[in-house]
Amino acid sequence: MAAPMEVAVCTDSAAPMWSCIVWELHSGANLLTYRGGQAGPRGLALLNGEYLLAAQLGKNYISAWELQRKDQLQQKIMCPGPVTCLTTSPNGLYVLAGIAESIHLWEVSTGNLLVILSRHYQDVSCLQFTGDSSHFVSGGKDCLVLAWSLCSVLQADPSRIPAPRHVWSHHTLPITDLHCGFGGPLARVATSSLDQTVKLWEVSSGELLLSVLFDVAIMAVTMDLAEHHLFCGGSDGSIFQVDLFTWPGQRERSFQPEQDPGKVFKGHRNQVTCLSVSTDGSVLLSGSHDETVRLWDVQSKQCIRTVALKGPVTNAIILLAPVSMLSSDFRPSLPLPHFNKHLLGAEHGDEPRHGGLTLRLGLHQQSVLGGQDQLRVRVTELEDEVRNLRKINRDLFDFSTRFITRPAK
């Protein structure tokens, strides 16, 4: 049985001929291209191994392509505003998008907009689910990182405002990237910021496990699957490797390149925008504003391959190629539904809001209507009730009159 093929999926902000390119990781062979629009940073996601989603740069829609169809025009998922970041749940059931300071959650099977969370104070810059889809983490320009329980969000009581499980406010400048490790509720989350630090958090306890200070702002962060190493992309084009297992008991430390010369990848001429590690942890993929994608050997820190794109690289990820990408006969199990732009009872900006939360409850939950709609419905109900009372009173009066005026026998 052949080993699974790893591929690199890349986008840039120019996209003159295609929006997204897929190439085989080790041979560099071009496998697929998808055309239509320009994908924004943190705006590329694979949905259920069947669709590729890309949030369009500065636009209010998400492009969707079937993985194997050739020369196709993308489907468009219209959104209430420009999408700043995008992710999908590993189980393929949900799509998350950051739109301004709000987080929108859609159910894939129905296209229903389930919830809008508004707990960030500035634009949401990055989103990611944990590996078991039980939690998701959001980072924003307001310097906050929020960890959410998906179950708590979906089972929200209309009388209460769901709160994130953890609010991490240790960063002092906008969040640039985050990465969730494996372990579901026990996962660790790495976050990077313009404040020149990378921090490691524990989802279960909410504790800060590690904080590393660098000499430059960190624009991208990732970990290998074994979580032995943190890879941090700097604003000067350098990539720093932090060995987690060599720092027992140390919660804070400064990274000194002169003391760790064998832990720096050098080659990019401008800031690193995205990082991804292969399954076995031997290869690192990086994208940069210098319009190149580079493949690195982790052990030697040498660049294996350089791919030139037409504009600053916005996304570069390594993934195991799903069957749908390699088989020309594959078709999605279900068509992608129409995604709703608004919650029930919320049209043209008239959203039903509950404090910092806007809700649309699921199929088995009561719908929450907007203030004006709710008032109209209540007035109609009261008018019907008044008409019924008048009829009952009239019938009682007629019966009493007949009874009182009935002739005596």
mmCIF file of all heavy atoms in Angstrom, residues 334-379:
data_model
loop_
_atom_site.group_PDB
_atom_site.id
_atom_site.type_symbol
_atom_site.label_atom_id
_atom_site.label_comp_id
_atom_site.label_asym_id
_atom_site.label_seq_id
_atom_site.Cartn_x
_atom_site.Cartn_y
_atom_site.Cartn_z
ATOM 1 N N LEU A 334 -22.123 15.308 -0.388
ATOM 2 C CA LEU A 334 -23.275 16.199 -0.370
ATOM 3 C C LEU A 334 -22.882 17.526 -1.015
ATOM 4 O O LEU A 334 -21.746 17.979 -0.865
ATOM 5 C CB LEU A 334 -23.746 16.462 1.065
ATOM 6 C CG LEU A 334 -24.387 15.289 1.810
ATOM 7 C CD1 LEU A 334 -24.631 15.677 3.271
ATOM 8 C CD2 LEU A 334 -25.683 14.865 1.161
ATOM 9 N N PRO A 335 -23.800 18.143 -1.740
ATOM 10 C CA PRO A 335 -23.487 19.475 -2.288
ATOM 11 C C PRO A 335 -23.371 20.495 -1.165
ATOM 12 O O PRO A 335 -23.998 20.365 -0.113
ATOM 13 C CB PRO A 335 -24.688 19.759 -3.199
ATOM 14 C CG PRO A 335 -25.804 18.926 -2.643
ATOM 15 C CD PRO A 335 -25.150 17.684 -2.100
ATOM 16 N N LEU A 336 -22.571 21.493 -1.391
ATOM 17 C CA LEU A 336 -22.419 22.558 -0.413
ATOM 18 C C LEU A 336 -23.694 23.389 -0.385
ATOM 19 O O LEU A 336 -24.127 23.909 -1.412
ATOM 20 C CB LEU A 336 -21.223 23.435 -0.781
ATOM 21 C CG LEU A 336 -20.557 24.237 0.334
ATOM 22 C CD1 LEU A 336 -20.013 23.305 1.413
ATOM 23 C CD2 LEU A 336 -19.439 25.093 -0.232
ATOM 24 N N PRO A 337 -24.335 23.530 0.786
ATOM 25 C CA PRO A 337 -25.609 24.255 0.840
ATOM 26 C C PRO A 337 -25.404 25.765 0.740
ATOM 27 O O PRO A 337 -24.277 26.274 0.827
ATOM 28 C CB PRO A 337 -26.176 23.880 2.212
ATOM 29 C CG PRO A 337 -24.958 23.660 3.046
ATOM 30 C CD PRO A 337 -23.934 23.047 2.122
ATOM 31 N N HIS A 338 -26.488 26.469 0.566
ATOM 32 C CA HIS A 338 -26.455 27.924 0.627
ATOM 33 C C HIS A 338 -26.270 28.348 2.082
ATOM 34 O O HIS A 338 -27.016 27.924 2.955
ATOM 35 C CB HIS A 338 -27.766 28.506 0.078
ATOM 36 C CG HIS A 338 -27.926 29.975 0.331
ATOM 37 N ND1 HIS A 338 -27.220 30.927 -0.355
ATOM 38 C CD2 HIS A 338 -28.705 30.651 1.222
ATOM 39 C CE1 HIS A 338 -27.545 32.128 0.092
ATOM 40 N NE2 HIS A 338 -28.448 31.991 1.043
ATOM 41 N N PHE A 339 -25.254 29.162 2.341
ATOM 42 C CA PHE A 339 -24.985 29.617 3.704
ATOM 43 C C PHE A 339 -25.773 30.892 3.972
ATOM 44 O O PHE A 339 -25.712 31.849 3.200
ATOM 45 C CB PHE A 339 -23.491 29.878 3.892
ATOM 46 C CG PHE A 339 -22.686 28.640 4.186
ATOM 47 C CD1 PHE A 339 -22.863 27.474 3.454
ATOM 48 C CD2 PHE A 339 -21.742 28.638 5.192
ATOM 49 C CE1 PHE A 339 -22.130 26.340 3.710
ATOM 50 C CE2 PHE A 339 -20.994 27.503 5.469
ATOM 51 C CZ PHE A 339 -21.183 26.344 4.727
ATOM 52 N N ASN A 340 -26.507 30.914 5.078
ATOM 53 C CA ASN A 340 -27.304 32.084 5.435
ATOM 54 C C ASN A 340 -26.411 33.220 5.918
ATOM 55 O O ASN A 340 -25.483 33.006 6.696
ATOM 56 C CB ASN A 340 -28.318 31.734 6.534
ATOM 57 C CG ASN A 340 -29.335 30.714 6.060
ATOM 58 O OD1 ASN A 340 -29.683 30.675 4.893
ATOM 59 N ND2 ASN A 340 -29.790 29.869 6.976
ATOM 60 N N LYS A 341 -26.717 34.428 5.472
ATOM 61 C CA LYS A 341 -25.954 35.599 5.889
ATOM 62 C C LYS A 341 -26.431 36.142 7.229
ATOM 63 O O LYS A 341 -25.670 36.776 7.956
ATOM 64 C CB LYS A 341 -26.070 36.705 4.840
ATOM 65 C CG LYS A 341 -25.340 36.432 3.550
ATOM 66 C CD LYS A 341 -25.628 37.505 2.523
ATOM 67 C CE LYS A 341 -25.279 38.886 3.007
ATOM 68 N NZ LYS A 341 -25.519 39.920 1.988
ATOM 69 N N HIS A 342 -27.699 35.911 7.545
ATOM 70 C CA HIS A 342 -28.277 36.523 8.741
ATOM 71 C C HIS A 342 -28.910 35.455 9.623
ATOM 72 O O HIS A 342 -29.284 34.368 9.167
ATOM 73 C CB HIS A 342 -29.341 37.559 8.368
ATOM 74 C CG HIS A 342 -28.823 38.660 7.491
ATOM 75 N ND1 HIS A 342 -28.037 39.669 7.966
ATOM 76 C CD2 HIS A 342 -28.982 38.885 6.164
ATOM 77 C CE1 HIS A 342 -27.719 40.488 6.983
ATOM 78 N NE2 HIS A 342 -28.287 40.040 5.877
ATOM 79 N N LEU A 343 -29.063 35.780 10.869
ATOM 80 C CA LEU A 343 -29.794 34.942 11.803
ATOM 81 C C LEU A 343 -31.280 35.103 11.562
ATOM 82 O O LEU A 343 -31.729 36.068 10.943
ATOM 83 C CB LEU A 343 -29.470 35.353 13.240
ATOM 84 C CG LEU A 343 -27.984 35.384 13.603
ATOM 85 C CD1 LEU A 343 -27.791 35.948 14.983
ATOM 86 C CD2 LEU A 343 -27.397 33.996 13.501
ATOM 87 N N LEU A 344 -32.074 34.161 12.068
ATOM 88 C CA LEU A 344 -33.521 34.226 11.913
ATOM 89 C C LEU A 344 -34.053 35.497 12.558
ATOM 90 O O LEU A 344 -33.760 35.824 13.701
ATOM 91 C CB LEU A 344 -34.170 33.009 12.575
ATOM 92 C CG LEU A 344 -35.684 32.870 12.364
ATOM 93 C CD1 LEU A 344 -35.998 32.682 10.895
ATOM 94 C CD2 LEU A 344 -36.227 31.718 13.182
ATOM 95 N N GLY A 345 -34.835 36.269 11.789
ATOM 96 C CA GLY A 345 -35.385 37.514 12.304
ATOM 97 C C GLY A 345 -34.425 38.676 12.227
ATOM 98 O O GLY A 345 -34.726 39.744 12.735
ATOM 99 N N ALA A 346 -33.259 38.475 11.592
ATOM 100 C CA ALA A 346 -32.291 39.567 11.467
ATOM 101 C C ALA A 346 -32.004 39.815 10.004
ATOM 102 O O ALA A 346 -31.356 39.016 9.355
ATOM 103 C CB ALA A 346 -30.994 39.212 12.195
ATOM 104 N N GLU A 347 -32.501 40.873 9.457
ATOM 105 C CA GLU A 347 -32.298 41.204 8.065
ATOM 106 C C GLU A 347 -31.865 42.655 7.946
ATOM 107 O O GLU A 347 -32.351 43.537 8.648
ATOM 108 C CB GLU A 347 -33.580 40.979 7.261
ATOM 109 C CG GLU A 347 -34.021 39.514 7.243
ATOM 110 C CD GLU A 347 -35.281 39.337 6.441
ATOM 111 O OE1 GLU A 347 -35.813 40.344 5.968
ATOM 112 O OE2 GLU A 347 -35.723 38.190 6.295
ATOM 113 N N HIS A 348 -30.962 42.867 7.007
ATOM 114 C CA HIS A 348 -30.487 44.208 6.690
ATOM 115 C C HIS A 348 -29.942 44.921 7.927
ATOM 116 O O HIS A 348 -30.224 46.079 8.196
ATOM 117 C CB HIS A 348 -31.592 45.052 6.056
ATOM 118 C CG HIS A 348 -32.228 44.371 4.884
ATOM 119 N ND1 HIS A 348 -31.525 44.095 3.741
ATOM 120 C CD2 HIS A 348 -33.488 43.892 4.700
ATOM 121 C CE1 HIS A 348 -32.332 43.491 2.869
ATOM 122 N NE2 HIS A 348 -33.514 43.352 3.436
ATOM 123 N N GLY A 349 -29.172 44.170 8.690
ATOM 124 C CA GLY A 349 -28.509 44.778 9.852
ATOM 125 C C GLY A 349 -29.339 44.786 11.104
ATOM 126 O O GLY A 349 -28.855 45.177 12.163
ATOM 127 N N ASP A 350 -30.623 44.386 11.049
ATOM 128 C CA ASP A 350 -31.469 44.354 12.249
ATOM 129 C C ASP A 350 -31.278 43.018 12.927
ATOM 130 O O ASP A 350 -32.041 42.081 12.733
ATOM 131 C CB ASP A 350 -32.928 44.572 11.856
ATOM 132 C CG ASP A 350 -33.847 44.510 13.071
ATOM 133 O OD1 ASP A 350 -33.363 44.766 14.184
ATOM 134 O OD2 ASP A 350 -35.039 44.203 12.876
ATOM 135 N N GLU A 351 -30.226 42.875 13.717
ATOM 136 C CA GLU A 351 -29.869 41.599 14.293
ATOM 137 C C GLU A 351 -30.429 41.460 15.697
ATOM 138 O O GLU A 351 -30.377 42.392 16.494
ATOM 139 C CB GLU A 351 -28.340 41.445 14.355
ATOM 140 C CG GLU A 351 -27.695 41.389 12.976
ATOM 141 C CD GLU A 351 -26.201 41.169 13.090
ATOM 142 O OE1 GLU A 351 -25.684 41.249 14.223
ATOM 143 O OE2 GLU A 351 -25.573 40.918 12.061
ATOM 144 N N PRO A 352 -30.959 40.255 16.019
ATOM 145 C CA PRO A 352 -31.370 40.005 17.398
ATOM 146 C C PRO A 352 -30.145 39.812 18.265
ATOM 147 O O PRO A 352 -29.414 38.851 18.105
ATOM 148 C CB PRO A 352 -32.188 38.713 17.294
ATOM 149 C CG PRO A 352 -31.661 38.026 16.091
ATOM 150 C CD PRO A 352 -31.207 39.103 15.155
ATOM 151 N N ARG A 353 -29.892 40.721 19.171
ATOM 152 C CA ARG A 353 -28.678 40.654 19.961
ATOM 153 C C ARG A 353 -29.030 40.439 21.429
ATOM 154 O O ARG A 353 -30.041 40.902 21.923
ATOM 155 C CB ARG A 353 -27.862 41.934 19.812
ATOM 156 C CG ARG A 353 -27.482 42.220 18.370
ATOM 157 C CD ARG A 353 -26.478 43.341 18.297
ATOM 158 N NE ARG A 353 -25.200 42.952 18.863
ATOM 159 C CZ ARG A 353 -24.286 42.265 18.195
ATOM 160 N NH1 ARG A 353 -24.504 41.886 16.966
ATOM 161 N NH2 ARG A 353 -23.139 41.953 18.765
ATOM 162 N N HIS A 354 -28.163 39.750 22.123
ATOM 163 C CA HIS A 354 -28.311 39.548 23.568
ATOM 164 C C HIS A 354 -26.985 39.928 24.200
ATOM 165 O O HIS A 354 -26.062 39.127 24.277
ATOM 166 C CB HIS A 354 -28.652 38.094 23.861
ATOM 167 C CG HIS A 354 -28.993 37.854 25.305
ATOM 168 N ND1 HIS A 354 -28.036 37.816 26.280
ATOM 169 C CD2 HIS A 354 -30.193 37.674 25.916
ATOM 170 C CE1 HIS A 354 -28.622 37.582 27.448
ATOM 171 N NE2 HIS A 354 -29.907 37.492 27.254
ATOM 172 N N GLY A 355 -26.871 41.180 24.634
ATOM 173 C CA GLY A 355 -25.605 41.654 25.178
ATOM 174 C C GLY A 355 -24.529 41.598 24.117
ATOM 175 O O GLY A 355 -24.643 42.169 23.058
ATOM 176 N N GLY A 356 -23.450 40.835 24.385
ATOM 177 C CA GLY A 356 -22.364 40.701 23.430
ATOM 178 C C GLY A 356 -22.571 39.547 22.499
ATOM 179 O O GLY A 356 -21.670 39.154 21.784
ATOM 180 N N LEU A 357 -23.758 38.938 22.487
ATOM 181 C CA LEU A 357 -23.982 37.723 21.710
ATOM 182 C C LEU A 357 -25.190 37.870 20.828
ATOM 183 O O LEU A 357 -26.185 38.447 21.207
ATOM 184 C CB LEU A 357 -24.200 36.547 22.677
ATOM 185 C CG LEU A 357 -24.574 35.209 22.051
ATOM 186 C CD1 LEU A 357 -23.365 34.576 21.414
ATOM 187 C CD2 LEU A 357 -25.159 34.286 23.087
ATOM 188 N N THR A 358 -25.080 37.333 19.607
ATOM 189 C CA THR A 358 -26.225 37.228 18.721
ATOM 190 C C THR A 358 -26.434 35.762 18.443
ATOM 191 O O THR A 358 -25.513 35.068 18.058
ATOM 192 C CB THR A 358 -25.962 37.966 17.398
ATOM 193 O OG1 THR A 358 -25.552 39.278 17.706
ATOM 194 C CG2 THR A 358 -27.211 38.018 16.550
ATOM 195 N N LEU A 359 -27.665 35.266 18.641
ATOM 196 C CA LEU A 359 -27.906 33.832 18.581
ATOM 197 C C LEU A 359 -28.843 33.464 17.453
ATOM 198 O O LEU A 359 -29.768 34.194 17.144
ATOM 199 C CB LEU A 359 -28.570 33.342 19.891
ATOM 200 C CG LEU A 359 -27.685 33.211 21.121
ATOM 201 C CD1 LEU A 359 -28.543 32.786 22.286
ATOM 202 C CD2 LEU A 359 -26.599 32.212 20.877
ATOM 203 N N ARG A 360 -28.570 32.312 16.837
ATOM 204 C CA ARG A 360 -29.602 31.613 16.084
ATOM 205 C C ARG A 360 -29.556 30.181 16.557
ATOM 206 O O ARG A 360 -28.593 29.477 16.306
ATOM 207 C CB ARG A 360 -29.340 31.658 14.580
ATOM 208 C CG ARG A 360 -30.490 30.976 13.840
ATOM 209 C CD ARG A 360 -30.090 30.586 12.446
ATOM 210 N NE ARG A 360 -31.221 30.158 11.679
ATOM 211 C CZ ARG A 360 -31.802 28.973 11.759
ATOM 212 N NH1 ARG A 360 -31.369 28.084 12.610
ATOM 213 N NH2 ARG A 360 -32.835 28.665 10.997
ATOM 214 N N LEU A 361 -30.569 29.751 17.291
ATOM 215 C CA LEU A 361 -30.544 28.428 17.883
ATOM 216 C C LEU A 361 -30.779 27.379 16.817
ATOM 217 O O LEU A 361 -31.330 27.649 15.757
ATOM 218 C CB LEU A 361 -31.607 28.340 18.982
ATOM 219 C CG LEU A 361 -31.429 29.377 20.090
ATOM 220 C CD1 LEU A 361 -32.504 29.202 21.134
ATOM 221 C CD2 LEU A 361 -30.066 29.274 20.714
ATOM 222 N N GLY A 362 -30.346 26.139 17.103
ATOM 223 C CA GLY A 362 -30.388 25.069 16.119
ATOM 224 C C GLY A 362 -31.788 24.585 15.816
ATOM 225 O O GLY A 362 -32.784 25.180 16.200
ATOM 226 N N LEU A 363 -31.827 23.443 15.122
ATOM 227 C CA LEU A 363 -33.100 22.932 14.635
ATOM 228 C C LEU A 363 -34.059 22.577 15.762
ATOM 229 O O LEU A 363 -35.271 22.654 15.589
ATOM 230 C CB LEU A 363 -32.833 21.688 13.777
ATOM 231 C CG LEU A 363 -32.016 21.940 12.506
ATOM 232 C CD1 LEU A 363 -31.765 20.628 11.795
ATOM 233 C CD2 LEU A 363 -32.734 22.909 11.598
ATOM 234 N N HIS A 364 -33.503 22.190 16.910
ATOM 235 C CA HIS A 364 -34.352 21.731 18.008
ATOM 236 C C HIS A 364 -34.463 22.783 19.109
ATOM 237 O O HIS A 364 -34.861 22.467 20.222
ATOM 238 C CB HIS A 364 -33.781 20.437 18.595
ATOM 239 C CG HIS A 364 -33.618 19.367 17.572
ATOM 240 N ND1 HIS A 364 -34.675 18.773 16.921
ATOM 241 C CD2 HIS A 364 -32.494 18.809 17.048
ATOM 242 C CE1 HIS A 364 -34.224 17.881 16.071
ATOM 243 N NE2 HIS A 364 -32.911 17.896 16.126
ATOM 244 N N GLN A 365 -34.105 24.014 18.806
ATOM 245 C CA GLN A 365 -34.165 25.070 19.807
ATOM 246 C C GLN A 365 -35.076 26.180 19.320
ATOM 247 O O GLN A 365 -35.279 26.377 18.132
ATOM 248 C CB GLN A 365 -32.767 25.633 20.069
ATOM 249 C CG GLN A 365 -31.838 24.611 20.723
ATOM 250 C CD GLN A 365 -30.451 25.178 20.860
ATOM 251 O OE1 GLN A 365 -29.779 25.369 19.887
ATOM 252 N NE2 GLN A 365 -30.054 25.438 22.079
ATOM 253 N N GLN A 366 -35.618 26.929 20.281
ATOM 254 C CA GLN A 366 -36.536 28.014 19.965
ATOM 255 C C GLN A 366 -35.778 29.161 19.344
ATOM 256 O O GLN A 366 -34.697 29.508 19.763
ATOM 257 C CB GLN A 366 -37.211 28.484 21.253
ATOM 258 C CG GLN A 366 -38.241 29.597 21.031
ATOM 259 C CD GLN A 366 -38.871 30.019 22.337
ATOM 260 O OE1 GLN A 366 -38.498 29.509 23.364
ATOM 261 N NE2 GLN A 366 -39.790 30.939 22.263
ATOM 262 N N SER A 367 -36.353 29.772 18.301
ATOM 263 C CA SER A 367 -35.693 30.879 17.611
ATOM 264 C C SER A 367 -35.871 32.167 18.391
ATOM 265 O O SER A 367 -36.889 32.407 19.019
ATOM 266 C CB SER A 367 -36.281 31.049 16.209
ATOM 267 O OG SER A 367 -36.097 29.887 15.462
ATOM 268 N N VAL A 368 -34.851 32.983 18.353
ATOM 269 C CA VAL A 368 -34.895 34.272 19.028
ATOM 270 C C VAL A 368 -35.114 35.350 17.979
ATOM 271 O O VAL A 368 -34.335 35.500 17.069
ATOM 272 C CB VAL A 368 -33.565 34.532 19.769
ATOM 273 C CG1 VAL A 368 -33.615 35.873 20.475
ATOM 274 C CG2 VAL A 368 -33.308 33.415 20.752
ATOM 275 N N LEU A 369 -36.193 36.088 18.097
ATOM 276 C CA LEU A 369 -36.526 37.102 17.105
ATOM 277 C C LEU A 369 -35.957 38.447 17.491
ATOM 278 O O LEU A 369 -35.649 38.711 18.635
ATOM 279 C CB LEU A 369 -38.061 37.213 16.974
ATOM 280 C CG LEU A 369 -38.781 35.955 16.499
ATOM 281 C CD1 LEU A 369 -40.278 36.209 16.465
ATOM 282 C CD2 LEU A 369 -38.286 35.523 15.144
ATOM 283 N N GLY A 370 -35.839 39.296 16.497
ATOM 284 C CA GLY A 370 -35.335 40.646 16.733
ATOM 285 C C GLY A 370 -36.337 41.463 17.514
ATOM 286 O O GLY A 370 -37.519 41.132 17.610
ATOM 287 N N GLY A 371 -35.881 42.577 18.065
ATOM 288 C CA GLY A 371 -36.731 43.392 18.917
ATOM 289 C C GLY A 371 -37.998 43.863 18.231
ATOM 290 O O GLY A 371 -39.099 43.727 18.768
ATOM 291 N N GLN A 372 -37.899 44.408 17.022
ATOM 292 C CA GLN A 372 -39.077 44.914 16.321
ATOM 293 C C GLN A 372 -40.007 43.784 15.918
ATOM 294 O O GLN A 372 -41.235 43.886 16.076
ATOM 295 C CB GLN A 372 -38.641 45.715 15.099
ATOM 296 C CG GLN A 372 -37.903 46.999 15.440
ATOM 297 C CD GLN A 372 -37.522 47.783 14.214
ATOM 298 O OE1 GLN A 372 -37.727 47.309 13.090
ATOM 299 N NE2 GLN A 372 -36.977 48.970 14.413
ATOM 300 N N ASP A 373 -39.431 42.694 15.403
ATOM 301 C CA ASP A 373 -40.268 41.552 15.009
ATOM 302 C C ASP A 373 -40.980 40.952 16.214
ATOM 303 O O ASP A 373 -42.154 40.575 16.154
ATOM 304 C CB ASP A 373 -39.414 40.478 14.330
ATOM 305 C CG ASP A 373 -38.916 40.929 12.961
ATOM 306 O OD1 ASP A 373 -39.527 41.847 12.399
ATOM 307 O OD2 ASP A 373 -37.933 40.355 12.487
ATOM 308 N N GLN A 374 -40.244 40.861 17.320
ATOM 309 C CA GLN A 374 -40.840 40.294 18.524
ATOM 310 C C GLN A 374 -41.995 41.169 19.013
ATOM 311 O O GLN A 374 -43.038 40.668 19.449
ATOM 312 C CB GLN A 374 -39.776 40.177 19.610
ATOM 313 C CG GLN A 374 -40.230 39.394 20.834
ATOM 314 C CD GLN A 374 -39.098 39.212 21.817
ATOM 315 O OE1 GLN A 374 -38.083 39.883 21.722
ATOM 316 N NE2 GLN A 374 -39.285 38.318 22.760
ATOM 317 N N LEU A 375 -41.849 42.480 18.933
ATOM 318 C CA LEU A 375 -42.904 43.399 19.353
ATOM 319 C C LEU A 375 -44.134 43.251 18.469
ATOM 320 O O LEU A 375 -45.275 43.214 18.958
ATOM 321 C CB LEU A 375 -42.385 44.836 19.314
ATOM 322 C CG LEU A 375 -43.375 45.924 19.721
ATOM 323 C CD1 LEU A 375 -43.832 45.716 21.156
ATOM 324 C CD2 LEU A 375 -42.736 47.302 19.554
ATOM 325 N N ARG A 376 -43.906 43.134 17.130
ATOM 326 C CA ARG A 376 -45.040 42.964 16.211
ATOM 327 C C ARG A 376 -45.805 41.685 16.503
ATOM 328 O O ARG A 376 -47.032 41.662 16.504
ATOM 329 C CB ARG A 376 -44.540 42.971 14.763
ATOM 330 C CG ARG A 376 -44.445 44.352 14.128
ATOM 331 C CD ARG A 376 -44.315 44.236 12.623
ATOM 332 N NE ARG A 376 -43.124 43.504 12.243
ATOM 333 C CZ ARG A 376 -41.936 44.076 12.060
ATOM 334 N NH1 ARG A 376 -41.804 45.381 12.246
ATOM 335 N NH2 ARG A 376 -40.901 43.367 11.706
ATOM 336 N N VAL A 377 -45.068 40.608 16.735
ATOM 337 C CA VAL A 377 -45.723 39.329 17.031
ATOM 338 C C VAL A 377 -46.523 39.419 18.319
ATOM 339 O O VAL A 377 -47.659 38.940 18.408
ATOM 340 C CB VAL A 377 -44.668 38.207 17.113
ATOM 341 C CG1 VAL A 377 -45.296 36.926 17.655
ATOM 342 C CG2 VAL A 377 -44.064 37.945 15.744
ATOM 343 N N ARG A 378 -45.943 40.077 19.327
ATOM 344 C CA ARG A 378 -46.638 40.183 20.618
ATOM 345 C C ARG A 378 -47.908 41.015 20.496
ATOM 346 O O ARG A 378 -48.953 40.679 21.070
ATOM 347 C CB ARG A 378 -45.692 40.809 21.650
ATOM 348 C CG ARG A 378 -46.272 40.874 23.050
ATOM 349 C CD ARG A 378 -46.661 39.504 23.553
ATOM 350 N NE ARG A 378 -47.202 39.538 24.895
ATOM 351 C CZ ARG A 378 -47.988 38.613 25.398
ATOM 352 N NH1 ARG A 378 -48.359 37.579 24.652
ATOM 353 N NH2 ARG A 378 -48.430 38.707 26.631
ATOM 354 N N VAL A 379 -47.855 42.122 19.739
ATOM 355 C CA VAL A 379 -49.041 42.952 19.533
ATOM 356 C C VAL A 379 -50.139 42.168 18.831
ATOM 357 O O VAL A 379 -51.321 42.234 19.200
ATOM 358 C CB VAL A 379 -48.671 44.218 18.730
ATOM 359 C CG1 VAL A 379 -49.924 44.950 18.264
ATOM 360 C CG2 VAL A 379 -47.802 45.137 19.568
#
